[in-house]
Amino acid sequence: LTKLGTFVINGAERVIVSQLHRSPGVVFEEATHPNGQRLISARIIPFRGSWVEFTVDIHDVIYVHIDKKKKFPATALLRAFGYGSNSSILRLFFATRELDLTKKREGRAEVRELLGAIIAENVELPGETTSEDAPKAKTKKARAERERAEAALLVREGDELTEEVFNRLRRQGVEMVKVFASYMAIDLRDEQDAIERGERQMRRALARDVVDPATGEVIGDLGQSLSDTLIRKLRKADIVKVTVFVASGRVESQLIRNTLLKDPTDPAHIDQKERDKKGWKTDAEVGEGKALEQIYSLLRPGDAPNKETAKQAIERLFFSPKRYDLGRVGRYKINQRLGLATPPDVTVLTTGDFTAIVKNLVELHEGRGSTDDIDHLGNRRIRSVGELIANQFSVGLSRMARLVK
């Protein structure tokens, strides 16, 4: 046996096959459906604890499997972690920007940018009065349209910008509305090269304020265009990476939106009777409470006695060092793959890990980034002989503990 935990057999260094196993961490994989569609998935592999798998189906909905049990929408898991309302989930993945409603849109991509966008603010529109000399509505459809126009309309944060809402906003003189938009991180050096080559007909806009790390001064404001002057200013402050809005027709990802539509724990699906019975007042409380109930019933058949019990069960599953362990290797691999800065001694999962994995799935689905090869030796590690003995010793101790109890 060598110091590295390998064996020398007939003069050659060898490793026992059972010593080679999948390295703890997160792995992103890609498969092809029989209809030719790309299917992206992610798997969290722990050193000890429950396996979690995220999959994107053919309808562009993200599902979660815990220990290969029945699947449920990924947004339900996020609700159980405290992001109960649709608004808080959308703000995890999108930035907000102003959408100009007066701009003339002729091309298909320009129309697509407008209709179907997700509104990022509550807009209350008063009812419109019908003039006395207006022709009488004869058909049932015409009467229904007139009734809708005369009634007040509350456009909630997270609602879709439909043609009806757009027309009403324009009739009432609203020129700008806040919408959710996807963003991505870019390297300023690459961006400068692309500008010099003439590849940027339209300059990208900042999705977040850029702050000078030394002085705390805001150098670039949200929505500001990446001009040559601003790029020089950022480079002078040693800022290399910034987040910018994705330059595309539809400015928000369909994955999150489709997953929210499929989510049975959406507060919009819960009636007032159930809210009163459970004592839920806000949408955030409704979403979190319903999600905890659903996930608890999947893990342990039967209803949870109360919200706290369900919450503790999920916390024990992922956030308890006794039940879950990524190991220092797993934490390092997750930090490297997702670009996180979680301390290496935190060997359990965090809510930031889950949101970063879903963000990465969205990026991969939209063609940014690359998947991993699970069979690559970089995604495998060697268990030392001491580790194998420790595992067996741990099994023996746990059996003895059960007998003592």
Side-chain angles (χ1 to χ4, degrees), residues 22 27-31 39-43 45 53-54 337 361 364 370-375:
R22 284 180 177 178
V27 178
F28 292 89
E29 296 175 279
E30 182 184 336
L39 299 177
I40 310 293
S41 64
R43 195 179 305 152
I45 304 169
E53 190 170 0
F54 294 82
R337 186 67 178 86
L361 280 174
L364 290 168
S370 57
T371 52
D372 306 310
D373 179 8
I374 192 67
D375 297 317

Side-chain angles (χ1 to χ4, degrees), residues 176-249:
M176 305 286 278
V177 69
K178 273 188 182 177
V179 294
F180 288 107
S182 294
Y183 60 88
M184 58 190 263
I186 61 161
D187 193 307
L188 285 174
R189 292 165 294 192
D190 296 338
E191 186 68 11
Q192 208 163 10
D193 291 343
I195 291 166
E196 285 169 6
R197 290 195 300 269
E199 293 175 10
R200 294 279 180 270
Q201 291 179 353
M202 278 186 70
R203 296 293 179 97
R204 285 172 160 162
L206 291 172
R208 285 179 179 160
D209 291 340
V210 183
V211 179
D212 189 331
T215 62
E217 180 196 353
V218 176
I219 307 171
D221 295 316
L222 166 70
Q224 191 175 346
S225 183
L226 274 178
S227 62
D228 294 333
T229 312
L230 180 59
I231 291 172
R232 280 197 298 272
K233 209 173 175 183
L234 293 168
R235 292 291 303 277
K236 194 177 177 182
D238 290 331
I239 295 167
V240 179
K241 296 213 170 204
V242 292
T243 53
V244 295
F245 288 116
V246 174
S248 62

Side-chain angles (χ1 to χ4, degrees), residues 49 87 100 112 130 137-138 230 247 274 321 325 339 343 347 359-360 395:
S87 169
D100 187 359
R112 196 166 166 266
T130 308
K138 294 178 181 178
L230 180 59
E274 188 175 350
D325 184 25
T347 57
K359 273 182 191 172
N360 223 300
V395 170

Side-chain angles (χ1 to χ4, degrees), residues 9 17 39 53 57 97 109 131 150 156 179 191 204 211 231 233 254 289 310 322 328 347-348 359 377 393:
I9 301 167
V17 174
L39 299 177
E53 190 170 0
D57 72 355
R97 72 177 185 88
S131 60
E150 288 172 352
R156 295 181 182 275
V179 294
E191 186 68 11
R204 285 172 160 162
V211 179
I231 291 172
K233 209 173 175 183
Q254 292 295 299
K322 284 186 179 179
R328 290 179 74 87
T347 57
V348 293
K359 273 182 191 172
L377 288 175
F393 192 66

Side-chain angles (χ1 to χ4, degrees), residues 314-349:
I314 291 170
E315 282 178 358
R316 280 198 302 270
L317 200 63
F318 300 121
F319 310 130
S320 167
K322 284 186 179 179
R323 297 283 187 93
Y324 199 92
D325 184 25
L326 287 166
R328 290 179 74 87
V329 173
R331 170 49 61 198
Y332 172 79
K333 298 279 278 186
I334 286 179
N335 283 358
Q336 288 291 104
R337 186 67 178 86
L338 303 175
L340 302 173
T342 311
D345 56 334
V346 178
T347 57
V348 293
L349 288 171

